[in-house]
Amino acid sequence: MFIANWKMNGSQSMLVRWLEGVNKTLDKSLQTKCILCPPVCFLSEASKVIKKEKLSISLGAQNIDPSNISPLTGGIDGAMLKELGAEYVVIGHSERRKVFKEENQLLSEKLESASKEDLRVIFCIGESLKEKEEGKTISVLKKQLEILNDAELNNFTVAYEPVWAIGSGETAKLDDIEDIHRQIVDEVRSFKKESFLGVFYGGSVDSSSSRQILSLKGVQGLLIGGASLECEEFCNIVLTNNQN
Ligand code: PEP
């Protein structure tokens, strides 16, 4: 699977051009492997274009609010995201963990909000550079994963995104990616969650690095930020990984 995380980028016209480009470049079977997560304000337009042009790409939201906090000015819950056409939701992205201090308690409530509406969760985890240098990567990841144990989730994936690799142009070493993915899989499997679909990698992935990363054992998909904004680059990533 290939997740395009646009973060706080794009416009309605860019969205339409991007979707038209995807429709021209990727056949339907490849489109089914793609999930576009635009800013929430463009979800409705994206949904309209997808229906009108009969695209097979899915939509995801980049964030969700807990549905148990009411009233919550500015809040958007799972039911609202679903109405806008989202099937997936990203929870726990490191930018939100850092800027909005999103921690396990709040993230658990977000998981609950998603689960109430059967949204498929893409749960992001990752260690900072300092944590990596101190040899704390696995303990940090296990702490972040802990809340999945109690969550009732529809099909979900974990996205491993080293914080220091996001938007930096650096990717983790291939051996490290493989080893860390294996440990994440083992940890989540120990929770006995049948709805766990696997681990994705994210962090400065582009068309030159994607093939090697996706060929690693335990890497089920890619979460692509900056490189997903250009339709051609995003499609190249998908096409490159479809060759034998
Ligand atoms: C991301 O947005 O999660 C991400 C991995 O971004 P980038 O590919 O730009 O590092």
Side-chain angles (χ1 to χ4, degrees):
M1 295 294 286
F2 303 90
I3 304 171
N5 176 22
W6 278 16
K7 313 188 191 219
M8 199 166 67
N9 290 297
S11 63
Q12 200 142 301
S13 55
M14 171 179 155
L15 175 95
V16 173
R17 280 198 310 275
W18 193 94
L19 285 170
E20 281 170 2
V22 164
N23 210 13
K24 277 196 200 119
T25 318
L26 304 180
D27 65 29
K28 299 280 179 229
S29 74
L30 289 179
Q31 289 177 24
T32 60
K33 298 183 179 176
C34 302
I35 303 164
L36 170 64
C37 302
V40 71
C41 54
F42 303 137
L43 272 174
S44 166
E45 180 67 15
S47 188
K48 266 191 229 155
V49 175
I50 287 171
K51 274 195 199 116
K52 187 162 165 260
E53 304 298 332
K54 299 192 171 44
L55 271 94
S56 296
I57 185 170
S58 303
L59 288 175
Q62 299 173 17
N63 183 34
I64 186 170
D65 288 302
S67 47
N68 60 342
I69 303 176
S70 180
L72 181 62
T73 300
I76 299 180
D77 69 14
M80 295 168 190
L81 293 177
K82 240 184 152 178
E83 201 171 327
L84 292 173
E87 286 173 67
Y88 293 81
V89 63
V90 175
I91 294 182
H93 194 284
S94 66
E95 286 151 8
R96 298 200 62 89
R97 287 181 189 262
K98 184 168 172 228
V99 178
F100 297 103
K101 310 277 176 276
E102 295 191 359
E103 289 178 2
N104 278 2
Q105 174 60 37
L106 176 64
L107 294 172
S108 289
E109 290 168 14
K110 290 184 174 216
L111 291 175
E112 204 180 311
S113 181
S115 129
K116 258 172 94 175
E117 295 300 327
D118 283 344
L119 284 164
R120 296 169 177 218
V121 169
I122 301 153
F123 186 66
C124 298
I125 59 171
E127 83 286 5
S128 67
L129 186 57
K130 184 166 178 282
E131 289 161 342
K132 173 182 155 63
E133 286 171 351
E134 288 171 357
K136 293 184 181 155
T137 298
I138 296 303
S139 62
V140 167
L141 299 181
K142 283 189 176 175
K143 184 87 199 136
Q144 293 173 340
L145 288 171
E146 215 173 73
I147 57 170
L148 295 178
N149 201 358
D150 290 330
E152 271 179 43
L153 291 172
N154 190 23
N155 289 345
F156 72 99
T157 49
V158 171
Y160 169 55
E161 302 199 290
V163 178
W164 47 272
I166 296 180
S168 65
E170 277 183 60
T171 49
K173 288 194 194 119
L174 297 176
D175 286 352
D176 289 346
I177 297 176
E178 197 164 76
D179 179 48
I180 292 168
H181 274 239
R182 183 184 50 73
Q183 299 201 52
I184 295 170
V185 170
D186 288 350
E187 181 71 4
V188 181
R189 287 219 178 115
S190 76
F191 303 155
K192 305 213 182 316
K193 298 275 173 208
E194 279 168 19
S195 51
F196 172 49
L197 300 181
V199 186
F200 291 7
Y201 178 79
S204 297
V205 175
D206 61 17
S207 56
S208 61
S209 58
S210 62
R211 192 154 192 213
Q212 271 187 315
I213 296 173
L214 205 52
S215 67
L216 297 172
K217 196 157 178 270
V219 180
Q220 303 287 332
L222 299 171
L223 205 169
I224 308 149
S228 73
L229 291 169
E230 288 285 335
C231 177
E232 196 183 337
E233 175 67 354
F234 178 74
C235 291
N236 277 343
I237 294 174
V238 179
L239 289 169
T240 310
N241 287 285
N242 196 42
Q243 293 160 3
N244 292 319

